[in-house]
């Protein structure tokens, strides 16, 4: 039997993935939340990545990007399979008896923020304690999920286009970050920009940050906001030795809204959403704690 070269094999694989790839690209990026949940988009990318890898073991794949995507897709396949069997809600990721969807209603997004790209570490997907799910629930037509390292995600392509045009802002306290204010999002050229936020433990968020192009402007929260976090407000249900690093992704977004003096009704709603979800998840906290 004649063995195909790696290049020929990849060509065949990529041809096989076209149908599912087109399915994921058919998602309206500006309205990705319309009757689709974040998990639906993740699942479509997982399926496309599994087909592309053609069942090969990740360690046997030469292409680094394909290898990483295949490894993540395999992990998420089992996690999403277990999630389905558990019967948990696909919107709030909690057990049906603890579902908070009636409380977590869609909110208006500030006019100066066009879209929110939420880059998630794959270990955060479907976690009971993760707060990104509440961002998707609060802004279903503007918040878009991206699983770092997973291929076949139209939202990721859109995000990189936005970065290339200078229309995306990253919320992360890097050494070169500037203080957040409304002028960062609105200038003489742009009436609005996209916001990129990172979802994971502190160590995971640092890795996610390093995966982004250096050309994207970084912003950080004010010292007042950091002091607020240091007192334990808005923390996630996983501890960290440094208090302010316990901040949840949702709370970081809420504090950004406070700094921008935007959406007076949205800010307390986001805080309430986290309190409700935390209370529901607290009794079921059996997942691994990571720093």
């Amino acid at each position: 039997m004649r063995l195909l070269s790696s290049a020929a094999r990849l060509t065949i694989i990529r041809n096989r993935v076209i149908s599912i790839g087109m399915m994921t690209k058919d998602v309206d990026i500006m309205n990705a939340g319309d009757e689709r949940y974040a998990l639906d988009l993740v699942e479509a990318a997982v399926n496309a990545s599994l087909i592309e890898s053609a069942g090969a073991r990740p360690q046997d794949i030469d292409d680094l990007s394909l290898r990483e995507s295949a490894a993540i897709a395999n992990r998420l396949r089992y996690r999403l399979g277990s999630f389905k069997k558990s019967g948990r809600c696909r919107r709030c990721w909690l057990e049906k008896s603890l579902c908070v969807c009636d409380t977590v209603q869609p909110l208006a997004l500030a006019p100066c923020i066009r879209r929110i790209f939420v880059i998630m570490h794959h270990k955060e997907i479907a976690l009971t304690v993760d707060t990104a799910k509440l961002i998707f629930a609060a802004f279903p037509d503007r918040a878009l999920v991206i699983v770092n390292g997973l291929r076949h995600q139209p939202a990721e392509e859109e995000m990189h286009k936005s970065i290339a045009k200078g229309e995306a802002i990253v919320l992360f306290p890097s050494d070169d970050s500037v203080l957040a204010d409304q002028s960062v999002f609105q200038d003489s050229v742009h009436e609005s920009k996209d916001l990129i936020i990172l979802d994971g433990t502190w160590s995971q968020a640092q890795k996610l940050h390093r995966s982004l192009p250096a050309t994207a402007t970084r912003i950080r929260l004010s010292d007042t906001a950091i002091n607020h976090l240091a007192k334990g407000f808005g923390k996630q249900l996983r501890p960290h030795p440094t208090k302010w690093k316990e901040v949840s992704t949702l709370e970081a977004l809420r504090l950004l809204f406070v700094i921008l003096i935007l959406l007076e009704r949205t800010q307390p709603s986001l805080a309430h959403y986290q309190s409700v979800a935390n209370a529901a998840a607290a009794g079921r906290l059996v997942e691994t704690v990571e720093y």
Side-chain angles (χ1 to χ4, degrees), residues 37 89-107 133-134 137-138 269 272-274 276-277 280:
Y37 299 137
C89 174
R90 290 184 70 82
R91 182 170 179 259
C92 72
W93 304 358
L94 294 168
E95 294 180 22
K96 291 294 178 66
S97 62
L98 301 172
C99 179
V100 297
C101 288
D102 287 344
T103 299
V104 182
Q105 295 298 313
L107 302 170
K133 63 193 178 187
L134 302 175
S269 294
H272 178 57
Y273 290 177
Q274 178 163 344
V276 170

Side-chain angles (χ1 to χ4, degrees), residues 123-268:
K123 290 183 179 179
E124 297 296 300
I125 297 297
L127 278 187
T128 299
V129 297
D130 185 77
T131 60
K133 63 193 178 187
L134 302 175
I135 298 175
F136 302 130
F139 309 107
D141 61 342
R142 288 295 181 268
L144 300 162
V145 61
I146 298 172
V147 180
N148 188 57
L150 186 65
R151 290 155 65 112
H152 305 290
Q153 298 183 95
E156 185 173 25
E157 296 178 15
E158 289 294 312
M159 179 190 72
H160 282 290
K161 288 178 184 177
S162 183
I163 292 175
K165 294 178 181 178
E167 298 177 351
I169 306 295
V170 182
L171 178 59
F172 189 82
S174 59
D175 292 339
D176 61 347
S177 62
V178 299
L179 280 174
D181 62 38
Q182 196 158 350
S183 65
V184 177
F185 290 90
Q186 293 179 313
D187 52 38
S188 58
V189 179
H190 306 96
E191 292 185 358
S192 64
K193 291 185 180 180
D194 293 322
L195 174 65
I196 300 171
I197 55 180
L198 312 177
D199 184 61
T201 63
W202 180 247
S203 61
Q204 289 169 353
Q206 289 177 306
K207 294 177 183 177
L208 298 179
H209 173 254
R210 288 194 293 269
S211 72
L212 290 170
T215 52
T217 299
R218 269 66 169 173
I219 60 173
R220 64 181 184 274
L221 299 176
S222 66
D223 290 341
T224 300
I226 296 300
N227 291 335
H228 171 83
L229 298 175
K231 295 176 182 177
F233 295 103
K235 68 177 182 178
Q236 56 184 341
L237 291 179
R238 291 174 290 186
H240 191 283
T242 304
K243 280 298 179 184
W244 71 265
K245 291 181 180 179
E246 291 182 343
V247 61
S248 72
T249 306
L250 183 70
E251 178 66 5
L253 178 63
R254 188 190 74 82
L255 288 173
L256 176 62
F257 286 167
V258 171
I259 292 170
L260 298 180
I261 318 177
L262 298 169
L263 303 177
E264 293 182 359
R265 294 178 61 184
T266 297
Q267 296 162 19

Side-chain angles (χ1 to χ4, degrees), residues 269-290:
S269 294
L270 291 178
H272 178 57
Y273 290 177
Q274 178 163 344
S275 296
V276 170
N278 281 356
R284 307 288 176 172
L285 188 54
V286 294
E287 293 152 329
T288 301
V289 173
E290 294 185 60

Side-chain angles (χ1 to χ4, degrees), residues 22-36:
M22 290 305 295
M23 178 185 73
T24 62
K25 289 179 182 296
D26 284 341
V27 177
D28 183 346
I29 293 299
M30 289 300 292
N31 296 282
D34 186 15
E35 298 184 359
R36 289 179 68 111

